[in-house]
Amino acid sequence: MMKINNIILETSIKVLLFIIVLYSVYIFTAGHYYPGGGFIGGLMTAGALVLLLITYDIKTVAKILPFNYRILTAIGLLFAIGTSAGSILFNVPFLTHAFTHVDVPILGELSLHTATLFDLGVYFVVVGVTMTIIQTIGEDE
Amino acid sequence: MNVSVIVDFLIGFLILAGALLCLIAAFGVIRLPDVYTRNHAASKAATLGVMFILLGTFIYFYAFEGHFNSRLILGIVFLFMTSPISGHLINRAAYNSGVKLWDKSVRDDLKKYNSNLMDKSSAD
């Protein structure tokens, strides 16, 4: 059996991947004011990585993105626990969040919220768990 | 006839034409004889139909709400790039798994190419 040349898919993925990842980051950052947030942002990033896995094989993707997704899951859980437990240091109940308005030179006024860090933890956990499931099933022979 | 009426007609035309194209694609999928012609109908007509509907939606929100929804533009670009590729991949998967062409098809260049490739590899 000759190797099937999949050049149309491989070329288009190189452009489409950036659109999907950009959109997932947009969904993640807009989560406080619009529909979106860590969960579907993470799922969409994982979807982009799955598209890469469909196009290339599992070893190539591991070479392009040398992540251990189990560690990514653990880092995400640490983010969630850390931002929740950080409130104890300020003598307020667990999971109390704080926000402030900051003037950044180029970007203008930003409202920074610690719930975003919690959401970043959710994002990491979702990407990590999805990719772990899919890679584990994919490597099984 | 002022601008608002023209925009109204444009939005109505885009939405209805898109819906009609999607309907034509559905008829094509039902009526055409084999996988390849069906896929030809579905991937072309439905792509243009959905792009028309998205463009009509974009113009509606821009004209009446003053809201520039860049996600719809991104959706149009994304659909324009992905839908023909998925049609191509489905067709190629069908051909490689040996789905027969319609009886009245007269040309199959890929078969000739594949058999040439087989002869060359067996001669080596």
Side-chain angles (χ1 to χ4, degrees), chain A residues 8-9 11-20 47-48 51 55, chain B residues 39 42-44 46-48 50-51 54 73-91:
Chain A
I8 293 177
L9 186 62
T11 313
S12 60
I13 286 302
K14 283 169 193 160
V15 181
L16 294 173
L17 198 73
F18 288 105
I19 299 179
I20 303 172
L51 207 58
T55 314
Chain B
N39 210 331
S43 65
K44 277 191 179 108
T47 307
L48 191 66
V50 176
M51 279 166 71
L54 285 178
I73 299 285
L74 197 67
I76 292 172
V77 172
F78 193 77
L79 202 80
F80 186 60
M81 287 174 74
T82 50
S83 181
I85 294 165
S86 58
H88 157 76
L89 287 174
I90 292 169
N91 260 356

Side-chain angles (χ1 to χ4, degrees), chain A residues 2 4-6 12 26, chain B residues 71 81-82 85 88 92 117:
Chain A
M2 60 186 177
I4 294 165
N5 194 1
N6 218 349
S12 60
Y26 162 74
Chain B
R71 280 159 289 177
M81 287 174 74
T82 50
I85 294 165
H88 157 76
R92 208 174 69 155
L117 221 61

Side-chain angles (χ1 to χ4, degrees), chain A residues 13-81:
Chain A
I13 286 302
K14 283 169 193 160
V15 181
L16 294 173
L17 198 73
F18 288 105
I19 299 179
I20 303 172
V21 171
L22 179 76
Y23 195 64
S24 76
V25 170
Y26 162 74
I27 288 263
F28 168 71
T29 50
H32 199 70
Y33 295 108
Y34 298 101
F39 185 75
I40 63 169
L43 268 187
M44 204 176 280
T45 307
L49 297 177
V50 169
L51 207 58
L52 208 60
L53 276 177
I54 289 172
T55 314
Y56 303 98
D57 57 349
I58 215 159
K59 283 187 188 118
T60 319
V61 176
K63 210 196 293 179
I64 298 168
L65 299 166
F67 293 140
N68 187 346
Y69 292 104
R70 269 156 291 198
I71 291 176
L72 195 69
T73 312
I75 290 171
L77 287 172
L78 275 180
F79 261 92
I81 271 273

Side-chain angles (χ1 to χ4, degrees), chain B residues 27-39:
Chain B
F27 274 122
V29 170
I30 295 170
R31 298 270 307 170
L32 287 171
D34 69 345
V35 174
Y36 308 103
T37 47
R38 279 177 184 178
N39 210 331

